[in-house]
Structure formats: structure tokens, C-alpha cells
Amino acid sequence: MMMPPTTLSPLHSEHVYMIVDHNWQITDLSPSETRFSSTALKKATIGDSFWDTLPPAFSEQLQKKLWTVAQRKQPFHFVEKLEDEKSLLHVEMSFCINHTIILLKDKTCEIEIEEALDAHIKELTVLTETSHDLILQEKPQQLFDTLFAHLSRYLDLDVYFNYRYSESGKELHLMNYTGISADIAARLHSLQLGEAICGKVAAEKQMRIAEHVATNDDRSTKLIRSLGIKAYVCHPLISNNRLLGTLSFGSKRRSTFTESELQLIDKVCRQVAAMMERLFFIIELKEKNNELISSNELLLQAKQEADKANKAKTDFLSMMSHELRTPLNSILGFSQILLLDKKQELTENQVTSLTKIVHASRHLLTLINQILELVRIEAGKPAMTLEKISAHEAVTSCIKLLAPFAESKHILIHHYATAKQVPAIKADKIRFNQVILNLLSNAIKYNYEEGQVSISYSVQSDHLTITIADTGFGLSQEDQAQMFKAFYRSPAHASHVEGSGIGLTLVQQLLTEMGGSISFQTADGIGSKFSVKIPLYRPEKE
């Protein structure tokens, strides 16, 4: 019984089984309808010649080969490339007594997959090597030379140029290169935006490809054409939307790049851009670090010189103060003896003169003692005895000492708080008295005739604040900025108000040593308020 004719119609498949008789006529076919994914068999029916089913790409040489091996009557197989140079056909033949079994396999897709895998592995190798070197390298020259060495092995490259973009000059500067002489590099050192291919890439921030450069009439390729480059690709280096420069590769042996090669270059350039930003950041940090080191060395040298000068000043002041205090005490002592001596009466002029001597001597002795105290603090030799003292009692004592001075200017001192209302503080008694005496003395000295001075107290959680307010001259902005500097005197009052310019400096440093602080409020021509903050006394728990 005759089987109905079977046609070979286009259905995608990778293999076809055929059975042919000794005349090469098809007697069976599986699958019944088929076509290769890359080569198509001609339509045929069972009973047609096997040769009529072959695609035109099969040559007479293939037919002769099949005839030759068929005569041997032994199983065999081979792979034949068709005339289109793209398709590969795997042929297997097994011979029986009355027929031959033929298997046709389309190897084209399999080979393409293998080639794609090889290409992918090659690309991954390049990217991996590039990433590894980018991470290790910290010098741009080494980075690009190493990168070019990897890429040139796979892409037949001969030259590369790396330009860095200058944001200040709005131009490109050649930083690294290979494949050109130093003279040519000097000529190519700077490019304006839009000049040549690299300049255009930087201006447009888009990759540019130049192929068949030898026959290319584009004016932008004139430069690379003069260097004998046949194929050229330039890529912008951009990281975080910031243009860092350009990186370009060229070949003198080939005229084109494949799509996969361009994709590989694109990926590598993106890696390079990210790493370049890191490198530039590291370089900038190193430069700033070197600047800081230099600045620190200069500052250290200046500090050493200042310390040396300060020590010399301190030693000098200490020596002079001690040398002055001894004869001054003698002058003061003998002057007081003469004033108190009842056996020898003095004239009114002599009494007046001796009184002035005593007054001036006491003032000078106070100044010397303040200088010695300042020297002691600057030398870091504290002699503090922090103990429980009555702040109210100390302030009252200071008021009594300065009462004659206040009366001489008709200044009224207000001190209404009682001892019970003011808690005890923890301080050095002598130093605390120095602080209050200085501030009260200033409140009287820098006050108007018939002015007023008031002392008030407020208690915080662990501190007592003593505020000394006056209705005096106040302080200008310039005075406020300089008032705690040693030996500073207000230009407005230095000529008619006695003082050394040490008092407030000493007050601030003494309070700091006792764990306290000083603040002020003032208005020029209206008066000032100085607030002393000192720790409260807290009994130690056993």
C-alpha cells in the first residue's frame, strides 16, 4: 500500500533523519515536515532524490565526498561548511543491505553559541583584569598603560590618548598616551572643546567612532589620519554627571570595530571613569594633606618660637618683679614709719608728699603682685587651696577695703543681701578676694562722680552667680573685643584712670583655675555688669 506523499515544509528543527534506497531516493523521513534554523531543505516528497533535498549551498565537492564514502559501506560522519560561509551541516551515514540511514544536524547555532561564549569569556577576562588593575593602581599613567596592554591583546590596538578636562580653562589636556612620539604628544597637549574628535566628544559628552579613516573626508579625522590610524573610537569619561576627560583607542591595522568590541570598550571606559574620579579624589586629598603637614610644621615652628619668647618674657617679668618688690617694700615701710612717728613732727607738705609716696608705692606693689600672679598662672604652677568659704563675707570684706576709694568719688555701693541668703562656695579664699577686689575696683574707677555700684546674687543648681553692676562709662565694641588681653587699656580712659591692664586677665584666669567663669553686659556710656560664676560648696559624701 502506497503511503501518501510527505513534503518538507518549513518547520524549525536542528536535525532530520532520512532513509534512502540504493538509488538515493527517500523512502522515509522524520520529522515529516522540517527546516533547519539556519539552512532550509528544498521541498520534496518521499520518492524524490536525496540530492534534490539539499540546499543550493552544497557544492559538487560535497556530493563527490558523499559518493566516495558511500562506496565503502561503512558508517561515517563529517561537518561541512556551506557556500554561504556561515552555515555548518553535520552529516552522519549508516549503511544497511537495501537502504542507507542519513542524519543531518544543523551545527550553525551550536557553533554560534560556542563563539558567543568564547567572546563573553574573553570580555569578562578583560573586564576582570581591568577592574583588578584599576583597584590596585593609584597613578593614572600606570592605570592607562596597564589598561591599554590588556585591551590591545584582544582588539589589535596601537594607540591610546587620555585627555583630562580642565574646568577652569574649559579645555582638554593630554595626560597619558601610547603609540606616538613625545614631539607629537607635545603638539597634541591641549585641545579646545569641539576641536578634533576628542574635543567634540568632550563637548557633546557622546562616544564617537571613526572607521575607514584613510578614506574618510570628515575634517575632525584629519588629526588621527595624519598619524596613520585606520579605526578610532573616543569615549567621554563621566562620573556623577561630571566630565573628567576622554579616553580613545586607535588601530593602524584594521579599519572597523565590531559591535561587541565597541560594547566592551564602552564598559571599560565606564569603569575607568569611576576609578578616575576616585584617583583624582585621592590625589587631591594627598595634596591637601601635604599642605596641612607643611602648615602644621610652620605652625609648630611658630609655636616653639612663641613659647620660647613667652618663656623669656615670663622669666624677665618674674625676675624684675622680684627685684622691684624688695626695694619697694623698703620705700613703703620707711614712708609709713615717718608718717606714724610721733616724736618728729612733719610739716603739712612733708605729710602730703609722704602720703603720695605711700599711695604710689601701694599701687606699684599691687601691680607687681598682679604680674607675679600672672606669671605663676602662665607657668602652670597652681597654688590653689579650694575650700568652703562664705561668698557674702568675702564680698563684704572687699567692700570695706574699697569704701574709702568709693567715698572719694561719692559713689554709693549697694549690698543688701544677708549672709544667710548667700550659700557657701568652693574656692581659694585669697584668689576669690583678688577677683572681687579687681571687679569692685574697676566698677569704682570707671564710674562717674556720685555714681552707683550694686552687688546681687543668684543660685543655679551647682553654681553661685555674683553680679557687680555699675553706672559708669561702659565699654565700646573695641574695648569688649580686647578687654581680657593682658596689658590692654581702653584708649578712651587710659590717660585719666589709673590701671595696669592686667586685672581682668587675672580675674578670668583665676576663675578658670577655680572652676568658674566670667561674663559681662555693657553699653557704652551707660554702665557695665560683670557676672562671676563660681561652684557651690557641696560636702563630700563619706
Side-chain angles (χ1 to χ4, degrees), residues 5-13 15-16 29-36 41 44:
T6 304
T7 59
L8 299 174
S9 54
L11 187 72
H12 288 287
S13 180
H15 60 271
V16 175
L29 178 66
S30 178
S32 59
E33 295 183 347
T34 187
R35 149 178 114 172
F36 291 126
L41 297 174

PDB file of all heavy atoms in Angstrom, residues 5-13 15-16 29-36 41 44:
ATOM      1  N   PRO A   5       2.193  11.043  -0.154  1.00  0.00           N
ATOM      2  CA  PRO A   5       3.446  11.793  -0.251  1.00  0.00           C
ATOM      3  C   PRO A   5       3.626  12.727   0.941  1.00  0.00           C
ATOM      4  O   PRO A   5       2.694  13.325   1.426  1.00  0.00           O
ATOM      5  CB  PRO A   5       3.309  12.577  -1.548  1.00  0.00           C
ATOM      6  CG  PRO A   5       1.915  12.432  -2.015  1.00  0.00           C
ATOM      7  CD  PRO A   5       1.248  11.379  -1.206  1.00  0.00           C
ATOM      8  N   THR A   6       4.902  12.826   1.464  1.00  0.00           N
ATOM      9  CA  THR A   6       5.257  13.715   2.574  1.00  0.00           C
ATOM     10  C   THR A   6       6.130  14.835   2.055  1.00  0.00           C
ATOM     11  O   THR A   6       7.132  14.572   1.379  1.00  0.00           O
ATOM     12  CB  THR A   6       6.015  12.921   3.655  1.00  0.00           C
ATOM     13  OG1 THR A   6       5.214  11.829   4.071  1.00  0.00           O
ATOM     14  CG2 THR A   6       6.356  13.818   4.839  1.00  0.00           C
ATOM     15  N   THR A   7       5.758  16.054   2.334  1.00  0.00           N
ATOM     16  CA  THR A   7       6.540  17.210   1.849  1.00  0.00           C
ATOM     17  C   THR A   7       7.411  17.750   2.975  1.00  0.00           C
ATOM     18  O   THR A   7       7.091  17.633   4.149  1.00  0.00           O
ATOM     19  CB  THR A   7       5.609  18.339   1.362  1.00  0.00           C
ATOM     20  OG1 THR A   7       4.785  18.732   2.447  1.00  0.00           O
ATOM     21  CG2 THR A   7       4.772  17.863   0.213  1.00  0.00           C
ATOM     22  N   LEU A   8       8.525  18.351   2.574  1.00  0.00           N
ATOM     23  CA  LEU A   8       9.418  19.017   3.516  1.00  0.00           C
ATOM     24  C   LEU A   8       9.035  20.484   3.567  1.00  0.00           C
ATOM     25  O   LEU A   8       9.338  21.240   2.671  1.00  0.00           O
ATOM     26  CB  LEU A   8      10.876  18.856   3.062  1.00  0.00           C
ATOM     27  CG  LEU A   8      11.380  17.412   2.983  1.00  0.00           C
ATOM     28  CD1 LEU A   8      12.775  17.393   2.384  1.00  0.00           C
ATOM     29  CD2 LEU A   8      11.373  16.740   4.327  1.00  0.00           C
ATOM     30  N   SER A   9       8.323  20.881   4.600  1.00  0.00           N
ATOM     31  CA  SER A   9       7.880  22.274   4.702  1.00  0.00           C
ATOM     32  C   SER A   9       8.608  22.943   5.876  1.00  0.00           C
ATOM     33  O   SER A   9       9.099  22.280   6.773  1.00  0.00           O
ATOM     34  CB  SER A   9       6.378  22.355   4.895  1.00  0.00           C
ATOM     35  OG  SER A   9       5.989  21.561   5.992  1.00  0.00           O
ATOM     36  N   PRO A  10       8.652  24.260   5.864  1.00  0.00           N
ATOM     37  CA  PRO A  10       9.481  24.985   6.842  1.00  0.00           C
ATOM     38  C   PRO A  10       8.946  24.867   8.266  1.00  0.00           C
ATOM     39  O   PRO A  10       7.973  25.481   8.618  1.00  0.00           O
ATOM     40  CB  PRO A  10       9.403  26.431   6.377  1.00  0.00           C
ATOM     41  CG  PRO A  10       8.837  26.377   4.997  1.00  0.00           C
ATOM     42  CD  PRO A  10       8.029  25.171   4.932  1.00  0.00           C
ATOM     43  N   LEU A  11       9.595  24.070   9.070  1.00  0.00           N
ATOM     44  CA  LEU A  11       9.326  23.997  10.497  1.00  0.00           C
ATOM     45  C   LEU A  11      10.687  23.917  11.176  1.00  0.00           C
ATOM     46  O   LEU A  11      11.514  23.108  10.800  1.00  0.00           O
ATOM     47  CB  LEU A  11       8.499  22.752  10.832  1.00  0.00           C
ATOM     48  CG  LEU A  11       8.025  22.649  12.267  1.00  0.00           C
ATOM     49  CD1 LEU A  11       6.926  23.669  12.519  1.00  0.00           C
ATOM     50  CD2 LEU A  11       7.527  21.244  12.573  1.00  0.00           C
ATOM     51  N   HIS A  12      10.926  24.798  12.168  1.00  0.00           N
ATOM     52  CA  HIS A  12      12.257  24.879  12.758  1.00  0.00           C
ATOM     53  C   HIS A  12      12.642  23.563  13.427  1.00  0.00           C
ATOM     54  O   HIS A  12      11.887  22.990  14.179  1.00  0.00           O
ATOM     55  CB  HIS A  12      12.309  26.000  13.804  1.00  0.00           C
ATOM     56  CG  HIS A  12      12.285  27.361  13.174  1.00  0.00           C
ATOM     57  ND1 HIS A  12      13.373  27.869  12.516  1.00  0.00           N
ATOM     58  CD2 HIS A  12      11.310  28.289  13.075  1.00  0.00           C
ATOM     59  CE1 HIS A  12      13.081  29.081  12.075  1.00  0.00           C
ATOM     60  NE2 HIS A  12      11.812  29.340  12.387  1.00  0.00           N
ATOM     61  N   SER A  13      13.849  23.062  13.122  1.00  0.00           N
ATOM     62  CA  SER A  13      14.380  21.856  13.732  1.00  0.00           C
ATOM     63  C   SER A  13      15.890  21.904  13.622  1.00  0.00           C
ATOM     64  O   SER A  13      16.440  22.662  12.831  1.00  0.00           O
ATOM     65  CB  SER A  13      13.839  20.604  13.039  1.00  0.00           C
ATOM     66  OG  SER A  13      14.378  19.454  13.671  1.00  0.00           O
ATOM     67  N   HIS A  15      17.689  18.805  13.464  1.00  0.00           N
ATOM     68  CA  HIS A  15      18.170  17.572  12.831  1.00  0.00           C
ATOM     69  C   HIS A  15      17.033  16.909  12.032  1.00  0.00           C
ATOM     70  O   HIS A  15      15.855  17.118  12.319  1.00  0.00           O
ATOM     71  CB  HIS A  15      18.696  16.585  13.891  1.00  0.00           C
ATOM     72  CG  HIS A  15      17.664  16.192  14.888  1.00  0.00           C
ATOM     73  ND1 HIS A  15      17.454  16.907  16.046  1.00  0.00           N
ATOM     74  CD2 HIS A  15      16.778  15.154  14.901  1.00  0.00           C
ATOM     75  CE1 HIS A  15      16.488  16.331  16.733  1.00  0.00           C
ATOM     76  NE2 HIS A  15      16.051  15.258  16.062  1.00  0.00           N
ATOM     77  N   VAL A  16      17.451  16.112  11.041  1.00  0.00           N
ATOM     78  CA  VAL A  16      16.497  15.400  10.183  1.00  0.00           C
ATOM     79  C   VAL A  16      17.043  13.981   9.937  1.00  0.00           C
ATOM     80  O   VAL A  16      18.224  13.822   9.611  1.00  0.00           O
ATOM     81  CB  VAL A  16      16.310  16.116   8.825  1.00  0.00           C
ATOM     82  CG1 VAL A  16      15.407  15.284   7.915  1.00  0.00           C
ATOM     83  CG2 VAL A  16      15.732  17.501   9.032  1.00  0.00           C
ATOM     84  N   LEU A  29      11.156   9.639   6.271  1.00  0.00           N
ATOM     85  CA  LEU A  29      11.645  10.958   6.697  1.00  0.00           C
ATOM     86  C   LEU A  29      11.077  11.268   8.089  1.00  0.00           C
ATOM     87  O   LEU A  29       9.900  11.043   8.361  1.00  0.00           O
ATOM     88  CB  LEU A  29      11.175  12.041   5.714  1.00  0.00           C
ATOM     89  CG  LEU A  29      11.558  13.496   6.040  1.00  0.00           C
ATOM     90  CD1 LEU A  29      13.051  13.694   5.967  1.00  0.00           C
ATOM     91  CD2 LEU A  29      10.850  14.432   5.066  1.00  0.00           C
ATOM     92  N   SER A  30      11.920  11.784   8.981  1.00  0.00           N
ATOM     93  CA  SER A  30      11.462  12.178  10.319  1.00  0.00           C
ATOM     94  C   SER A  30      12.281  13.408  10.787  1.00  0.00           C
ATOM     95  O   SER A  30      13.513  13.388  10.729  1.00  0.00           O
ATOM     96  CB  SER A  30      11.652  11.031  11.317  1.00  0.00           C
ATOM     97  OG  SER A  30      11.258  11.442  12.613  1.00  0.00           O
ATOM     98  N   PRO A  31      11.634  14.439  11.221  1.00  0.00           N
ATOM     99  CA  PRO A  31      10.182  14.649  11.212  1.00  0.00           C
ATOM    100  C   PRO A  31       9.664  14.807   9.802  1.00  0.00           C
ATOM    101  O   PRO A  31      10.420  15.089   8.872  1.00  0.00           O
ATOM    102  CB  PRO A  31      10.014  15.933  12.033  1.00  0.00           C
ATOM    103  CG  PRO A  31      11.296  16.667  11.865  1.00  0.00           C
ATOM    104  CD  PRO A  31      12.360  15.639  11.766  1.00  0.00           C
ATOM    105  N   SER A  32       8.378  14.648   9.676  1.00  0.00           N
ATOM    106  CA  SER A  32       7.815  14.642   8.331  1.00  0.00           C
ATOM    107  C   SER A  32       7.872  16.024   7.685  1.00  0.00           C
ATOM    108  O   SER A  32       7.900  16.128   6.464  1.00  0.00           O
ATOM    109  CB  SER A  32       6.371  14.126   8.382  1.00  0.00           C
ATOM    110  OG  SER A  32       5.613  14.969   9.250  1.00  0.00           O
ATOM    111  N   GLU A  33       7.818  17.085   8.491  1.00  0.00           N
ATOM    112  CA  GLU A  33       7.946  18.439   7.956  1.00  0.00           C
ATOM    113  C   GLU A  33       9.016  19.145   8.774  1.00  0.00           C
ATOM    114  O   GLU A  33       8.962  19.199   9.996  1.00  0.00           O
ATOM    115  CB  GLU A  33       6.617  19.198   8.073  1.00  0.00           C
ATOM    116  CG  GLU A  33       5.530  18.612   7.231  1.00  0.00           C
ATOM    117  CD  GLU A  33       4.266  19.450   7.328  1.00  0.00           C
ATOM    118  OE1 GLU A  33       4.202  20.308   8.224  1.00  0.00           O
ATOM    119  OE2 GLU A  33       3.359  19.251   6.509  1.00  0.00           O
ATOM    120  N   THR A  34      10.010  19.698   8.120  1.00  0.00           N
ATOM    121  CA  THR A  34      11.133  20.282   8.865  1.00  0.00           C
ATOM    122  C   THR A  34      11.857  21.343   8.061  1.00  0.00           C
ATOM    123  O   THR A  34      11.739  21.415   6.852  1.00  0.00           O
ATOM    124  CB  THR A  34      12.125  19.180   9.279  1.00  0.00           C
ATOM    125  OG1 THR A  34      13.093  19.766  10.123  1.00  0.00           O
ATOM    126  CG2 THR A  34      12.839  18.596   8.073  1.00  0.00           C
ATOM    127  N   ARG A  35      12.584  22.138   8.799  1.00  0.00           N
ATOM    128  CA  ARG A  35      13.516  23.077   8.197  1.00  0.00           C
ATOM    129  C   ARG A  35      14.555  23.401   9.269  1.00  0.00           C
ATOM    130  O   ARG A  35      14.237  23.516  10.457  1.00  0.00           O
ATOM    131  CB  ARG A  35      12.746  24.313   7.761  1.00  0.00           C
ATOM    132  CG  ARG A  35      13.535  25.587   7.802  1.00  0.00           C
ATOM    133  CD  ARG A  35      12.732  26.745   7.306  1.00  0.00           C
ATOM    134  NE  ARG A  35      12.497  27.690   8.389  1.00  0.00           N
ATOM    135  CZ  ARG A  35      11.955  28.872   8.205  1.00  0.00           C
ATOM    136  NH1 ARG A  35      11.544  29.227   7.008  1.00  0.00           N
ATOM    137  NH2 ARG A  35      11.788  29.690   9.202  1.00  0.00           N
ATOM    138  N   PHE A  36      15.787  23.574   8.845  1.00  0.00           N
ATOM    139  CA  PHE A  36      16.838  23.947   9.783  1.00  0.00           C
ATOM    140  C   PHE A  36      16.679  25.410  10.168  1.00  0.00           C
ATOM    141  O   PHE A  36      16.165  26.229   9.414  1.00  0.00           O
ATOM    142  CB  PHE A  36      18.223  23.723   9.171  1.00  0.00           C
ATOM    143  CG  PHE A  36      18.548  22.257   8.991  1.00  0.00           C
ATOM    144  CD1 PHE A  36      18.943  21.754   7.762  1.00  0.00           C
ATOM    145  CD2 PHE A  36      18.451  21.404  10.073  1.00  0.00           C
ATOM    146  CE1 PHE A  36      19.256  20.428   7.610  1.00  0.00           C
ATOM    147  CE2 PHE A  36      18.766  20.073   9.911  1.00  0.00           C
ATOM    148  CZ  PHE A  36      19.167  19.578   8.684  1.00  0.00           C
ATOM    149  N   LEU A  41      15.986  23.004   3.727  1.00  0.00           N
ATOM    150  CA  LEU A  41      15.965  21.987   2.671  1.00  0.00           C
ATOM    151  C   LEU A  41      14.880  22.343   1.653  1.00  0.00           C
ATOM    152  O   LEU A  41      13.863  22.946   1.996  1.00  0.00           O
ATOM    153  CB  LEU A  41      15.672  20.615   3.271  1.00  0.00           C
ATOM    154  CG  LEU A  41      16.706  20.070   4.274  1.00  0.00           C
ATOM    155  CD1 LEU A  41      16.187  18.781   4.878  1.00  0.00           C
ATOM    156  CD2 LEU A  41      18.046  19.857   3.607  1.00  0.00           C
ATOM    157  N   ALA A  44      10.328  18.536  -0.816  1.00  0.00           N
ATOM    158  CA  ALA A  44      10.450  17.252  -1.538  1.00  0.00           C
ATOM    159  C   ALA A  44       9.425  16.271  -0.976  1.00  0.00           C
ATOM    160  O   ALA A  44       8.840  16.489   0.077  1.00  0.00           O
ATOM    161  CB  ALA A  44      11.859  16.687  -1.400  1.00  0.00           C
TER     162      ALA A  44
END
